[in-house]
Amino acid sequence: MTTQLLDRHGARVRPMQRLVGDLSLSRARVHEFCGPARRLLALVLMAGGRGPVVWIHPGWRPERLYPDGMRDFAEPGRLILARARRPEDLLWSMEEALRSGAVPLVVAELPEPPPLTPVRRLHLAAEAGAETAAGVGADQPIGILLTPGDGGSAGIETRWRLAPFPEGRWRLDRLRARMEPPAGWILRRGDKGLEIERRAPA
């Protein structure tokens, strides 16, 4: 039998993974990163964790992660790159990777935001993977959907947008969260990757 921690309101307390500063993401859930710097945000999340990372991308597109370009933010040797041949294989591959509980982070680059039903399946897969990971003392998995524009995936736990900001900085916006209001922060490059400089104006 699995023991679950509950908060004072009776809600399940999930383990968290640090994103940047004091901002964190719930494990065993699926989150969405959007905006022109969404891949960088996924690398920042990767750098804050440990273990291998499955990164799934559309095989019919020419864009690829360049190891030398990501080295300043995350260790390229941790990546397991998967190339999907068809659009339907992107979410299927992500679901299987999450359900396995074998890796703590699964990232999928999508051509468009998915509807509610496949996102619900991803949440269920992440929860199943969390039970498997807990059984062997591993980190519970997190799923990250990388979507173009301002995103819009239905049913995700949180949605974040990262975009370049003047003077070599970035603006991070929390567009949606189940338990937190929308908010924004200005990030700058620090000795250990990106860090929060200040709250962004509304």
Side-chain angles (χ1 to χ4, degrees):
M1 187 171 85
T2 302
T3 301
Q4 296 182 349
L5 296 176
L6 303 178
D7 67 13
R8 59 190 174 100
H9 302 293
R12 186 190 317 178
V13 176
R14 297 182 185 276
M16 305 295 284
Q17 170 64 48
R18 179 181 176 273
L19 178 58
V20 61
D22 60 354
L23 304 175
S24 298
L25 303 181
S26 297
R27 288 195 167 277
R29 302 298 287 169
V30 178
H31 307 265
E32 182 179 24
F33 291 173
C34 59
R38 59 189 178 275
R39 291 179 186 90
L40 173 58
L41 189 57
L43 292 177
V44 169
L45 180 65
M46 174 182 167
R50 60 182 183 177
V53 175
V54 170
W55 193 299
I56 307 160
H57 66 93
W60 60 93
R61 292 193 168 181
E63 300 93 352
R64 298 287 186 273
L65 283 177
Y66 184 54
D68 286 345
M70 64 177 286
R71 193 177 303 278
D72 289 345
F73 295 95
E75 172 52 49
R78 293 173 54 204
L79 274 180
I80 300 170
L81 295 173
R83 185 172 59 189
R85 294 183 179 178
R86 303 172 302 170
E88 56 267 32
D89 293 337
L90 291 165
L91 293 176
W92 178 85
S93 301
M94 184 178 198
E95 184 178 335
E96 292 301 306
L98 288 170
R99 182 175 286 110
S100 75
V103 294
L105 178 59
V106 182
V107 179
E109 298 192 42
L110 304 180
E112 60 186 15
L116 181 60
T117 298
V119 173
R120 281 181 173 167
R121 291 178 59 91
L122 292 173
H123 283 308
L124 292 173
E127 290 174 0
E131 292 186 9
T132 301
V136 296
D139 289 332
Q140 297 181 4
I142 286 181
I144 299 296
L145 303 175
L146 299 183
T147 57
D150 288 333
S153 302
I156 43 88
E157 185 78 7
T158 61
R159 178 180 301 122
W160 303 80
R161 183 179 191 276
L162 186 67
F165 196 75
E167 300 179 358
R169 288 164 168 76
W170 291 267
R171 176 168 176 145
L172 175 65
D173 287 288
R174 183 174 59 213
L175 303 178
R176 181 189 186 282
R178 293 181 184 272
M179 305 299 291
E180 300 286 346
W185 297 266
I186 304 302
L187 309 183
R188 64 180 175 85
R189 183 75 180 273
D191 294 336
K192 298 182 179 180
L194 297 187
E195 56 189 38
I196 295 175
E197 181 179 89
R198 64 182 187 274
R199 288 292 289 260

